[in-house]
Amino acid sequence: MVSFFVRRILHAIPALIGAVTLLFLLLRLIPGDPAQAMLGTQATAEDLARLRHQLGLDRPLIVQYGIYLADFARGDWGVSLATQTPVLHRVREALPHTLSLCGAAVLVMILISVPAGVLCAVKRDSWVDYSISVAVFLFMSMPQFWLGLLMLLFFSYYFGLFPIYGIGQAGNIFDQLHHLVLPALSLGISFLGLSTRLTRSSMLEVLGQDYIRTARAKGLKEGRVIFKHALRNAMLSVVTVIGLATGQLLGGAVIIEVIFARPGLGTLIWDAILQRDYPQVQASVAVFAFFFIMVNLFTDLVYALLNPKIKLS
């Protein structure tokens, strides 16, 4: 297990370097001048040239890239062009809010999609199956930002049940959870469809196996057959989808945080892009890439633990 984990970490390093390299090049292709964004439209040509020199933007692209990779490897990820504070300091402040949002969204997705998928399989071709299927297809077709805006409109503006924006009062866990409900639902519900349908199809396949018929022939209660014998094997493919969806949740968190004005990594990236703050965007997205890789690694480990036949080597 330890060797598998170390080997996967080593394999993840080239993926992380590829992600930050692609990001470095894409940011340079975005129209706009960071020096102009910092000094404003009234800046003189001399001031712009001086600031570009200070930021190293007047150097050849390959030189900028070499310096960037060397600093990245040393842990020196630079200073924000907008706030003149270390970018990692801002990432550390924003990261807990994004992780709490994604964790709550994954919890929403699992708590709803797995029971719904099992219920669809057990009640196959019934009105329950059709009703749940229509509902999940409806959620799948809704863009995240639109679903988030609808929830804000109805549950915050019209009914006043939840706060419109923010993360709640520091130190007050109940207030923070109150602020987390709508963003987590908006993010988690968007990914319900695939995991629900896959849980249903996996359960149907497992329920048709001989050992399930044998368990029923022994007189075991239906609940024990479904939840102890069938669900565990059906969860193998579901875990993979949930792992992939968790990675996509990190990307979806960018839009949801902007809509609900949560000071997480998504909002940080959004503001940094608008301000042409290259170091801040690069550091924030590199952290996103790191967590995406870690989620896939964790998914592989859980997959192997659920099915001992799978060799970690």
Side-chain angles (χ1 to χ4, degrees):
M1 181 69 76
V2 175
S3 63
F4 171 77
F5 186 80
V6 172
R7 192 164 56 251
R8 287 299 309 272
I9 290 291
L10 293 177
H11 289 170
I13 292 176
L16 185 60
I17 293 176
V20 297
T21 300
L22 183 62
L23 176 65
F24 175 87
L25 296 174
L26 289 177
L27 283 175
R28 268 64 184 177
L29 293 176
I30 296 177
D33 183 357
Q36 188 78 67
M38 294 174 65
L39 296 178
T41 56
Q42 302 300 322
T44 64
E46 291 76 13
D47 292 337
L48 291 173
R50 188 184 314 112
L51 184 56
R52 290 193 189 102
H53 180 69
Q54 291 176 357
L55 299 176
L57 299 175
D58 57 348
R59 299 177 181 175
L61 190 62
I62 187 65
V63 176
Q64 293 184 44
Y65 176 66
I67 295 174
Y68 166 66
L69 274 190
D71 292 342
F72 185 85
R74 288 199 304 268
D76 179 11
W77 290 13
V79 175
S80 168
L81 301 181
T83 63
Q84 297 301 308
T85 56
V87 294
L88 282 182
H89 177 69
R90 301 186 71 194
V91 168
R92 280 197 296 268
E93 288 183 342
L95 185 59
H97 303 306
T98 299
L99 292 182
S100 62
L101 172 60
C102 291
V106 171
L107 195 61
V108 168
M109 183 174 63
I110 294 174
L111 291 180
I112 297 178
S113 67
V114 173
V118 172
L119 191 58
C120 286
V122 174
K123 303 290 185 183
R124 181 182 184 182
D125 295 334
S126 68
W127 68 268
V128 175
D129 184 17
Y130 296 142
S131 300
I132 294 177
S133 298
V134 169
V136 296
F137 279 124
L138 183 64
F139 288 133
M140 285 176 67
S141 63
M142 290 185 181
Q144 288 175 346
F145 72 91
W146 192 65
L147 184 60
L149 291 174
L150 279 182
M151 287 193 171
L152 271 181
L153 182 64
F154 286 100
F155 296 110
S156 295
Y157 183 74
Y158 286 137
F159 301 134
L161 297 177
F162 297 97
I164 293 179
Y165 62 87
I167 57 172
Q169 186 179 359
N172 188 336
I173 185 65
F174 296 104
D175 189 42
Q176 292 180 357
L177 289 175
H178 193 205
H179 283 75
L180 187 60
V181 171
L182 286 188
L185 285 175
S186 303
L187 191 57
I189 286 177
S190 302
F191 292 91
L192 281 181
L194 184 58
S195 55
T196 300
R197 298 300 297 172
L198 190 60
T199 302
R200 178 186 182 277
S201 61
S202 298
M203 280 294 294
L204 286 176
E205 182 180 352
V206 172
L207 289 174
Q209 299 293 319
D210 291 338
Y211 71 92
I212 295 295
R213 284 192 285 270
T214 302
R216 284 171 172 160
K218 289 181 178 177
L220 294 180
K221 293 183 178 179
E222 187 65 15
R224 185 179 176 86
V225 172
I226 292 173
F227 292 105
K228 183 173 181 179
H229 296 280
L231 184 57
R232 176 169 178 167
N233 291 326
M235 286 299 293
L236 287 174
S237 53
V238 179
V239 165
T240 304
V241 171
I242 290 176
L244 295 174
T246 303
Q248 296 176 12
L249 281 173
L250 290 170
V254 175
I255 299 300
I256 295 299
E257 285 182 353
V258 172
I259 291 175
F260 288 91
R262 295 179 58 84
L265 270 184
T267 302
L268 194 62
I269 292 174
W270 179 268
D271 292 339
I273 290 175
L274 294 180
Q275 296 167 341
R276 306 291 189 270
D277 192 347
Y278 291 165
Q280 190 63 69
V281 177
Q282 289 168 167
S284 303
V285 176
V287 171
F288 260 122
F290 172 77
F291 275 97
F292 184 84
I293 292 170
M294 288 297 103
V295 166
N296 281 279
L297 172 60
F298 180 73
T299 302
D300 288 346
L301 290 175
V302 173
Y303 197 81
L305 290 175
L306 286 174
N307 187 357
K309 294 180 180 178
I310 297 174
K311 301 293 185 182
L312 292 178
S313 59

